Amino acid sequence: MVSDAIKAIDIFSVRIPQDDSYLGGLGPGETVNDRGYVVRRGNRTIYPQTMRSAVIRVTLESGAEGWGETYGLVAPNAIHALVDDIIAPIIAGRSPFDVQAIWDDLYDLMRVRGYTGGFWLDAMAGVDIALWDLMGKLTGLSLPQLLGGRHRDRIPAYVSGLPRPTIAEKVDLAKSFVDRGYRAVKIAAVVSYEGVEREIAALREGLRPDIGIMLDCHWIYSPAEAIALIDKLARYDLTFVEAPCKTEDVQGLAEIARHSVIPVAAGEEWRTVFDARSRLEARAVSIAQPEMGHTGITQFMRIAQLAQAHHAQIIPHATIGAGIFAAASLLASSTILNLRWHEYQHSIFHHSASLMDGRLECSDGHFLLPEGPGLGVTPNARFWENATRLGG
C-alpha cells in the first residue's frame, strides 16, 4: 500500500452552467442586487443568480491529487480563508488515511469559539471528501469499498422542483418526468404562488396514484401552521413533508411529527451527527436528509448510521455543485441499507456532470454509480473553463 503526506490545498470557485434559475424565475417583488444575489421572499433566503461551487484540491508530496467540494453559493472566499489560514497548515504532513482523525481534530480546533456549523464545517467537509478520494486512488479502491461495501448498483431518483410559472405547466413538466421513468416529484412551497394545496391537488389528479409527491416547506411555517397544512394535505397521500418549521425549533419539529400522518423529513442543513442526534432522539423526523456538501463523507456516514439505529429512512439531499460531492453522495448512499431515494436536481445535475470526466448519470428514474477508484470522477477541460483559483 502506498502512503504519502499532505503537501498543499487549493480552492477554486466554479461557475455551474444552468438552463433554469433555481426554484424558477423571479417572484413578485424579487430583484437581483449588484452582487448578483436575489433574496427569495418566500423563505427569506439568499441565492446567487449564477450558480457556483467551491472545489478543493488536496495534493500529496508524491503529486497525487484528491478532489473535494463544498458549498460555494455565497461568499466562496470564506471557504478559501478558512482552508488557507487554518486547515492547510494544521494538516500538512499528515496522511490522507488519517481522514476521520483529521475531521475530529479540526472540529476540536474551533469548538470553544462556537464554530460547530456554518462555513467552518463546510470547509472541513470539502477537505474530508478530497482525503477519501485520495485514499481510494492510493489503494485502487472505490469509495463504497473503503466504506465496507455497497447494497445497490443504482439508486432511485426523485425529481426536485418544477420550475414553471403556472400549475398547469408544472403538472405537464411532472408528467414528462414520469414518462421518462421517474416515480416521485417534489415541489417547493415558497414558489407555489397559486397555493400549495391547489398545486398538490393538481399533481395528484394529473399523475398516477403510485407516483410519489413530496413538499419542501423551506422552514417557512410555525408548528401550528405546519400541522394545519399537513391536515389539509393528508388526503393527497404525500411521501414526505420536508423542513416544515425553523431549523432551530427542534421541539416544534417533534410536535409536527407527533401530529402528522405524513412522514416528516429534515437534514439538509445539518453538518454533523450531533445535529442529527437531537432530532432523531426527539423523534422529530422519520426521514434524514444529509447533504454531502455540508457533511463530507465522514459525517454523512455517521449521520446515516445513527439514523438507521433510530429506524429512520435516509433520503439524501442534493444541491448545486460541480459534480464532485454529487459523486461522493451517490457512492456513499450505495452503502446505506435504509436508503429509499436520492434527490435529483434535474436543472443542475447534467450541467455538473458535464464538468467531470467519469460517470455521473441519471436516467430512467435512477442514478448510475460512478466507477473507478475513489470518487470515480475528476475535473475535465470544461471545468477549468469555469473555474477560478481563489487566493491568487
Side-chain angles (χ1 to χ4, degrees), residues 166-311:
T166 68
I167 288 178
E169 289 172 290
K170 291 179 180 183
V171 173
D172 287 342
L173 181 58
K175 287 180 177 178
S176 74
F177 281 109
V178 171
D179 290 342
R180 284 180 271 162
Y182 295 89
R183 298 178 60 80
V185 298
K186 185 173 78 177
I187 67 166
V190 296
V191 290
S192 286
Y193 301 122
E194 298 178 67
V196 171
E197 185 176 5
R198 285 187 61 196
E199 187 169 330
I200 288 176
L203 285 167
R204 179 49 70 211
E205 181 180 356
L207 302 177
R208 301 196 313 258
D210 62 320
I211 300 301
I213 300 174
M214 300 95 154
L215 174 66
D216 188 347
C217 299
H218 281 99
W219 310 276
I220 65 176
Y221 300 114
S222 70
E225 290 169 339
I227 290 168
L229 177 62
I230 288 168
D231 285 345
K232 290 181 182 179
L233 300 179
R235 60 188 289 198
Y236 302 109
D237 189 27
L238 298 191
T239 302
F240 63 72
V241 172
E242 176 179 343
C245 68
K246 299 292 188 291
T247 183
E248 58 269 28
D249 190 0
V250 179
Q251 292 307 311
L253 190 63
E255 181 182 358
I256 294 168
R258 283 194 297 271
H259 287 85
S260 180
V261 297
I262 301 170
V264 173
E268 72 169 271
E269 73 278 24
W270 303 348
R271 265 69 173 189
T272 70
V273 72
F274 309 119
D275 296 323
R277 178 183 173 185
S278 59
R279 279 81 175 177
L280 291 165
E281 289 184 347
R283 297 292 178 181
V285 296
S286 55
I287 296 169
Q289 299 173 297
E291 163 56 62
M292 181 62 73
H294 284 324
T295 64
I297 293 164
T298 295
Q299 288 300 312
F300 186 97
M301 293 306 301
R302 292 182 188 178
I303 290 169
Q305 289 155 3
L306 184 67
Q308 288 182 171
H310 283 81
H311 304 285

Side-chain angles (χ1 to χ4, degrees), residues 335-352:
T335 73
I336 296 170
L337 186 61
N338 209 25
L339 182 121
R340 183 174 180 186
W341 308 87
H342 192 291
E343 185 171 16
Y344 170 45
Q345 293 282 8
H346 58 89
S347 64
I348 297 160
F349 183 81
H350 67 286
H351 290 299
S352 303

Side-chain angles (χ1 to χ4, degrees), residues 354-372:
S354 75
L355 303 176
M356 294 288 120
D357 283 334
R359 186 165 76 177
L360 273 178
E361 183 178 344
C362 190
S363 60
D364 300 323
H366 289 82
F367 290 101
L368 302 181
L369 298 179
E371 299 175 319

Side-chain angles (χ1 to χ4, degrees), residues 99-148:
V99 58
Q100 297 205 46
I102 286 173
W103 191 96
D104 292 328
D105 291 344
L106 293 176
Y107 186 80
D108 284 349
L109 291 181
M110 300 282 269
R111 176 193 276 115
V112 72
R113 299 187 180 97
Y115 296 123
T116 56
F119 283 108
W120 174 240
L121 271 291
D122 286 354
M124 288 172 53
V127 172
D128 182 82
I129 294 169
L131 296 181
W132 281 96
D133 187 35
L134 274 166
M135 283 201 297
K137 289 173 177 175
L138 293 174
T139 60
L141 300 176
S142 67
L143 179 61
Q145 289 173 310
L146 293 173
L147 294 173

